[in-house]
Amino acid sequence: MTRIAVFISGRGSNLQALIDARARGDLAGDIGVVVSSRTGAPGLERARKAGLHHCVVEPADHASREAFDAELDRVAKQTGCGLICLAGFMRILTPGFAQAWRDRILNIHPALLPAFPGTDCHRRVLDSGVMITGCTVHFVRPQVDAGPIIAQAAVPVLPGDDEKSLADRVLVAEHRIYPLALDLVLQGRVRVIEERVVVDAPVRSDDMLVNPAP
Amino acid sequence: MTRIAVFISGRGSNLQALIDARARGDLAGDIGVVVSSRTGAPGLERARKAGLHHCVVEPADHASREAFDAELDRVAKQTGCGLICLAGFMRILTPGFAQAWRDRILNIHPALLPAFPGTDCHRRVLDSGVMITGCTVHFVRPQVDAGPIIAQAAVPVLPGDDEKSLADRVLVAEHRIYPLALDLVLQGRVRVIEERVVVDAPVRSDDMLVNPAP
């Protein structure tokens, strides 16, 4: 059974979605460790409640990005993890780390990549006037918010939306597709060929198109 | 009743969607003229069958882009049109024309702008590995495939898709949202404020999220 290291920095709502999926039996792997880049991140409490091994690795305690990433690598390996899930992890990994864990680090981004990469994307979505946004699970590459796409969901932007209401609606989709995508990877049904994902599984389009709550 | 000039270059399938919407009573305007930039475009036959005034304005018959656009302008005005719909029109309008008809030219683009502007977008969608694409109705600006967005629909990219199968699926969504967006504009329910569209109408998210045929 593959073990997963989940890297967080904040509330860890996507961590919770993974914990819940595991509890339901919908994840073909175990969460081996939860690593927070910030002391007191609320997500650590979720890990504790779920009885998961967890720890803090703070950038300030390390002399360089490389040293910080080396510690992340050490923790992941020490806990027997073969896969890393970024879940609101607010640090950019070094190219060396991304290369060492190539096709074994997943990230979720709250927009329909390649549109709106980077931080603060709900604000930019609202400013742009687009009517559809969404979220994307992808393998991590040294470039920020780039890499082969494993799953996406579309979410409507509605009149009167602010960043909070839009983020909340997108989060519903994130919590749906992150466990689905991770499970496909854990089952060995995802291959990367020429930097594109090939999934050996039927795609359910109803997982990709998320209507707002009625 | 506002009259609409529809500019085409090819088969005119979106023209047909507008003709059909008008026949159903779902369009608060009339098609005043269909203009093709290409002699023998199959869309002209659709116009003829629908009893619509139609003509050909070919770039080769005009000394400059400005002269070509001046003829388009003359035809639209002569037929009493107050709105222009681009429907597979393969010519880029001059900035002067776009400015003269500002907020009175609509275009439909077969991708989820701002992602994948330009031609050949289904090919680029497939090459990129995204799992969701769609289509966008927007007001035309001098920049290609830019301008305030009136309506969008999301469409899944499915395993095994080629350009043809993907284009066909996106076309279903195009034929749905182009008449909807045009009708909102014709009803005066669409305003452009600071380059964003504000629609005085409830948004039906089921119009924005298009599942493939079952």
Side-chain angles (χ1 to χ4, degrees):
Chain A
M1 190 73 98
T2 303
R3 287 182 152 192
I4 309 142
V6 183
F7 291 1
I8 66 170
S9 299
R11 60 183 164 177
S13 81
N14 273 303
L15 164 64
Q16 190 66 53
L18 300 181
I19 291 171
D20 294 346
R22 180 67 186 118
R24 288 193 309 269
D26 288 344
L27 218 53
D30 283 318
I31 299 175
V33 65
V34 174
V35 183
S36 172
S37 68
R38 210 159 54 75
T39 305
L44 288 167
E45 180 61 16
R46 298 183 194 263
R48 194 193 59 77
K49 278 191 184 156
L52 298 174
H53 183 55
H54 55 284
C55 62
V56 173
V57 178
E58 285 202 300
D61 294 338
H62 296 84
S64 64
R65 287 177 61 199
E66 285 71 19
F68 174 70
D69 283 6
E71 178 62 10
L72 293 175
D73 183 81
R74 195 191 62 77
V75 170
K77 285 179 177 160
Q78 190 185 44
T79 52
C81 294
L83 206 60
I84 294 170
C85 285
L86 309 185
F89 185 66
M90 297 304 285
R91 307 297 306 181
I92 296 170
L93 299 165
T94 55
F97 187 93
Q99 188 53 41
W101 287 82
R102 189 179 178 89
D103 297 344
R104 294 188 300 149
I105 316 176
L106 277 66
N107 183 41
I108 185 153
H109 180 73
L112 278 182
L113 295 176
F116 304 103
T119 56
D120 205 24
C121 64
H122 296 310
R123 178 75 263 148
R124 289 181 287 120
V125 161
L126 290 169
D127 288 346
S128 76
V130 298
M131 298 182 72
I132 294 174
T133 182
C135 51
T136 303
V137 181
H138 63 95
F139 286 116
V140 168
R141 293 291 181 262
Q143 303 79 2
V144 173
D145 297 326
I149 291 169
I150 308 165
Q152 293 189 297
V155 176
V157 181
L158 298 181
D161 263 340
D162 56 20
E163 283 180 80
K164 171 75 168 64
S165 64
L166 181 58
D168 286 349
R169 193 177 309 118
V170 173
L171 263 181
V172 173
E174 292 177 46
H175 298 165
R176 187 194 291 196
I177 68 168
Y178 207 177
L180 285 174
L182 173 58
D183 189 49
L184 288 173
V185 173
L186 289 166
Q187 290 184 41
R189 304 176 79 173
V190 171
R191 286 176 301 158
V192 178
I193 298 174
E194 291 176 356
E195 283 299 88
R196 286 182 48 195
V197 161
V198 177
V199 179
D200 162 31
V203 172
R204 290 170 22 201
S205 67
D206 54 325
D207 288 325
M208 291 202 282
L209 305 175
V210 177
N211 279 289
Chain B
M1 192 71 98
T2 302
R3 286 183 153 190
I4 309 141
V6 183
F7 291 2
I8 66 170
S9 298
R11 62 183 161 175
S13 81
N14 273 304
L15 164 65
Q16 190 66 53
L18 299 182
I19 291 171
D20 294 346
R22 180 67 185 120
R24 288 194 308 268
D26 288 343
L27 218 53
D30 283 318
I31 298 174
V33 65
V34 174
V35 183
S36 172
S37 68
R38 211 159 53 77
T39 305
L44 287 167
E45 179 61 16
R46 298 182 193 263
R48 195 193 59 74
K49 277 192 184 156
L52 297 174
H53 182 55
H54 55 283
C55 62
V56 174
V57 177
E58 284 201 301
D61 294 338
H62 298 83
S64 64
R65 288 177 61 200
E66 285 72 17
F68 175 70
D69 283 7
E71 178 63 7
L72 294 175
D73 183 81
R74 196 191 62 76
V75 170
K77 286 179 176 159
Q78 190 185 44
T79 51
C81 293
L83 206 60
I84 294 170
C85 284
L86 309 184
F89 184 67
M90 296 304 286
R91 307 297 304 180
I92 295 170
L93 298 166
T94 56
F97 187 94
Q99 189 54 40
W101 288 82
R102 189 179 178 88
D103 297 344
R104 295 187 298 149
I105 316 177
L106 277 65
N107 183 41
I108 186 155
H109 180 73
L112 278 183
L113 295 176
F116 305 103
T119 56
D120 204 26
C121 63
H122 296 309
R123 178 74 264 147
R124 288 180 289 120
V125 161
L126 290 170
D127 288 345
S128 76
V130 298
M131 299 182 72
I132 295 175
T133 183
C135 52
T136 303
V137 181
H138 63 95
F139 287 115
V140 167
R141 293 290 180 263
Q143 303 80 1
V144 172
D145 297 327
I149 291 169
I150 308 165
Q152 293 189 297
V155 176
V157 181
L158 298 182
D161 263 340
D162 57 20
E163 283 181 79
K164 172 73 168 63
S165 63
L166 181 58
D168 286 348
R169 192 177 311 117
V170 173
L171 263 182
V172 173
E174 293 177 46
H175 298 166
R176 186 194 293 196
I177 67 168
Y178 207 177
L180 285 174
L182 173 58
D183 189 49
L184 289 173
V185 173
L186 289 167
Q187 290 184 41
R189 304 175 81 174
V190 172
R191 287 176 301 158
V192 178
I193 298 175
E194 292 177 355
E195 283 299 87
R196 287 181 49 196
V197 161
V198 177
V199 179
D200 163 30
V203 172
R204 290 171 20 203
S205 67
D206 53 326
D207 288 325
M208 291 203 283
L209 305 174
V210 179
N211 279 289

